[in-house]
Amino acid sequence: MSPRDKRFSRDKRRQYIVESCCYIWKDAGRPLTYTTYSDGRPGGQRQGPLVNFIQAVVKMITEPGQILSGETIRVDIDGFRDKLEREEQERWAPPELGNQYT
């Protein structure tokens, strides 16, 4: 069944593609950033090399070629950053000592 209001639905396929692009971008030593323009430029408010890379990948793997909203990409990049931060905190958290002498 498809939800009636799709505005709040997450497309796991899109999320997987954006996360894969972000991992590739990060592994290449590039920063996970985007640029915000407020002057109504063609291509949307969110742009930059990472957004352009994601758009190029999405366009190559969809039939017919699609483009994503820059705002959608921004949300997915921010979600990926949050995911990385949580993973880093879990990996580097000090061990829980507990009460080992009782």
Side-chain angles (χ1 to χ4, degrees), residues 9-26:
S9 297
R10 305 252 333 145
D11 185 347
K12 295 292 185 183
R13 297 170 300 177
R14 185 197 74 240
Q15 186 176 359
Y16 177 75
I17 292 165
V18 172
E19 283 187 6
S20 296
C21 289
C22 287
Y23 275 118
I24 292 166
W25 198 257
K26 183 178 175 292

Side-chain angles (χ1 to χ4, degrees), residues 7-79:
R7 291 178 295 171
F8 300 106
S9 297
R10 305 252 333 145
D11 185 347
K12 295 292 185 183
R13 297 170 300 177
R14 185 197 74 240
Q15 186 176 359
Y16 177 75
I17 292 165
V18 172
E19 283 187 6
S20 296
C21 289
C22 287
Y23 275 118
I24 292 166
W25 198 257
K26 183 178 175 292
D27 288 347
R30 309 281 312 259
L32 296 170
T33 59
Y34 49 83
T35 304
T36 301
Y37 295 106
S38 60
D39 60 1
R41 293 176 187 231
Q45 190 177 22
R46 313 296 181 182
Q47 297 180 18
L50 175 56
V51 173
N52 294 341
F53 174 65
I54 293 169
Q55 293 285 29
V57 170
V58 169
K59 197 170 188 177
M60 282 187 338
I61 64 173
T62 54
E63 185 62 40
Q66 302 288 318
I67 59 168
L68 300 175
S69 157
E71 189 63 18
T72 299
I73 293 174
R74 181 201 62 82
V75 169
D76 288 343
I77 291 170
D78 289 347

